[in-house]
Amino acid sequence: MTTLYLVRHGETKDNVAMMMQGQRQGELTANGVKQMEALRHRLKDVHFDAIVSSDLRRAKDSAEIVALHRGLTVMTTPLLRERDWGDFTGRFIPDLKDLPMPDNVEKMGALLDRARAFLDWLKAEYPGKTVLAVGHGITNKAIQAVYYGKLTREIPRMDNAECRVLSL
């Protein structure tokens, strides 16, 4: 059985500004760094065989904070990238409330397929291992929706630097 420690990246400047980050790189705030340092401390007694993250900077930087002193290199994968919000990317979230979804937003079915592909890859690449994976709010919800066989709206929102454990 593969054990997945699924983590959302630390707080970013765009989180604070309520901007739709999507697949922008993002930058951790000082608080985001502290959140990830606190998570590293909480997980200090957990042995990880691997640490993977989204290839977006905010997730990779978060993963590297947890990886510090573990002798593990963070491997990145686009499978963990945040949902592509198309024309909504970089916009102030409250302004988007009643707007129609642009055609160039990544469809939920495609995001769920990507989540399924990540879980399949993880089980094949790390059978019987313990892996920490740092991703993003919506993508992590999709991974959990696939895992639990639920709708994404049924999965509780993950806070920044929150960790949930799944047994695959």
Side-chain angles (χ1 to χ4, degrees), residues 79 112-122:
L79 292 173
L112 291 168
D113 288 345
R114 192 157 46 89
R116 191 171 297 106
F118 170 73
L119 290 173
D120 290 345
W121 171 82
L122 194 70

Side-chain angles (χ1 to χ4, degrees), residues 99-120:
L99 295 179
M101 191 76 73
D103 290 337
N104 62 352
V105 170
E106 183 177 11
K107 305 296 183 252
M108 185 53 69
L111 179 61
L112 291 168
D113 288 345
R114 192 157 46 89
R116 191 171 297 106
F118 170 73
L119 290 173
D120 290 345

Side-chain angles (χ1 to χ4, degrees), residues 19-156:
M19 303 299 286
M20 186 68 80
Q21 289 181 100
Q23 295 191 359
R24 292 175 7 159
Q25 293 297 324
E27 183 178 345
L28 296 178
T29 62
N31 184 52
V33 170
K34 287 178 187 170
Q35 290 172 332
M36 296 311 297
E37 289 170 343
L39 179 64
R40 177 181 67 215
H41 180 73
R42 286 194 306 276
L43 298 176
K44 68 180 174 19
D45 295 327
V46 179
H47 169 79
F48 293 111
D49 297 294
I51 297 178
V52 299
S53 84
S54 158
D55 59 351
L56 298 175
R57 183 172 128 196
R58 62 191 186 265
K60 187 171 188 295
D61 289 350
S62 295
E64 287 176 347
I65 292 169
V66 178
L68 193 65
H69 308 302
R70 288 183 178 265
L72 295 172
T73 300
V74 174
M75 186 183 137
T76 61
T77 175
L79 292 173
L80 284 172
R81 274 188 181 189
E82 182 57 294
R83 186 177 188 185
D84 183 350
W85 287 104
D87 290 341
F88 278 174
T89 302
R91 305 255 324 258
F92 186 58
I93 293 170
D95 289 347
L96 307 176
K97 185 175 183 264
D98 295 317
L99 295 179
M101 191 76 73
D103 290 337
N104 62 352
V105 170
E106 183 177 11
K107 305 296 183 252
M108 185 53 69
L111 179 61
L112 291 168
D113 288 345
R114 192 157 46 89
R116 191 171 297 106
F118 170 73
L119 290 173
D120 290 345
W121 171 82
L122 194 70
K123 288 186 282 188
E125 190 72 22
Y126 299 103
K129 305 289 185 185
T130 301
V131 179
L132 180 125
V134 181
H136 306 271
I138 302 298
T139 302
N140 286 2
K141 281 183 79 154
I143 289 167
Q144 293 170 85
V146 169
Y147 175 80
Y148 290 111
K150 294 185 173 189
L151 300 173
T152 54
R153 69 174 175 260
E154 297 175 296
I155 304 299

Side-chain angles (χ1 to χ4, degrees), residues 1-5 119 122-123 129 147-148 164-168:
M1 172 181 1
T2 300
T3 303
L4 171 61
Y5 282 70
L119 290 173
L122 194 70
K123 288 186 282 188
K129 305 289 185 185
Y147 175 80
Y148 290 111
R164 296 185 184 162
V165 182
L166 308 177
S167 298
L168 310 175

